[in-house]
Amino acid sequence: MISIDRDDPARGDVHQLLSEHLADMFATSPAESVHALDHSALSAPSITFWTAREDGDLLGCGALKLLAAPAGPPRHGEIKSMRTAARARGRGVATLMLRHILDDARTRNLERLYLETGTEDYFAPARRLYARNGFSECPPFAGYVLDPNSVFMELRL
């Protein structure tokens, strides 16, 4: 059974998965278009980080970053660091993680979730996953700028 729990991005096996994620991002996108976070950035107070595991084996990870609001509590969030371990791809891990993040965002009464992903073919499965779950393309958000290598998506909760 796959369980999703809060975890430490600096944990050994998680750190390795995040390092692979960053390496893939830099291999598929120009450096200025890579917005993935490393383990230390994912430890920020505004970010909640989860891992998916089965019998202790790391299958994937994902995070929710709360976006600052001009006044009052955050109303928007950004999905960060969605990654499935190569050996676990095709098992629905990303869908489980995404649904977990969506449930958490709804519990927090967030109004919208955003994300940034790539335009290259490498990112096509991710774009399909988000579209299947109700996300649609939107303009850049939260300080991002138009970039031919980025697709911005949002979901109204």
Side-chain angles (χ1 to χ4, degrees):
M1 177 164 169
I2 297 173
S3 63
I4 297 176
D5 298 292
R6 288 181 76 159
D7 209 338
D8 180 358
R11 186 175 173 175
D13 58 350
V14 178
H15 185 279
Q16 178 61 36
L17 182 64
L18 292 170
S19 294
E20 291 169 11
H21 181 61
L22 283 168
D24 282 349
M25 298 306 98
F26 282 103
T28 56
S29 299
E32 64 275 8
S33 297
V34 174
H35 304 288
L37 302 177
D38 66 15
H39 71 281
S40 59
L42 287 166
S43 298
S46 63
I47 297 178
T48 305
F49 182 83
W50 295 275
T51 55
R53 293 179 182 273
E54 185 174 53
D55 299 324
D57 186 35
L58 179 62
L59 303 178
C61 63
L64 174 61
K65 178 181 180 182
L66 297 177
L67 300 177
R75 306 305 298 161
H76 300 158
E78 179 182 3
I79 294 175
K80 299 296 292 183
S81 300
M82 287 278 293
R83 176 72 174 199
T84 301
R87 68 191 172 286
R89 293 197 181 127
R91 294 187 52 200
V93 174
T95 298
L96 289 173
M97 181 61 71
L98 180 58
R99 289 183 180 159
H100 183 85
I101 293 171
L102 294 175
D103 288 345
D104 185 82
R106 288 183 178 106
T107 299
R108 295 175 193 238
N109 294 315
L110 296 183
E111 295 172 356
R112 284 188 194 171
L113 280 185
Y114 294 95
L115 62 91
E116 179 276 337
T117 191
T119 58
E120 295 84 2
D121 288 344
Y122 176 85
F123 298 99
R127 293 191 305 270
R128 286 192 300 271
L129 168 71
Y130 298 128
R132 274 195 316 270
N133 284 276
F135 283 82
S136 58
E137 289 190 30
C138 68
F141 62 92
Y144 287 101
V145 296
L146 280 176
D147 179 345
N149 299 294
S150 289
V151 173
F152 304 97
M153 301 181 86
E154 72 174 333
L155 174 68
R156 293 173 194 252
L157 299 173

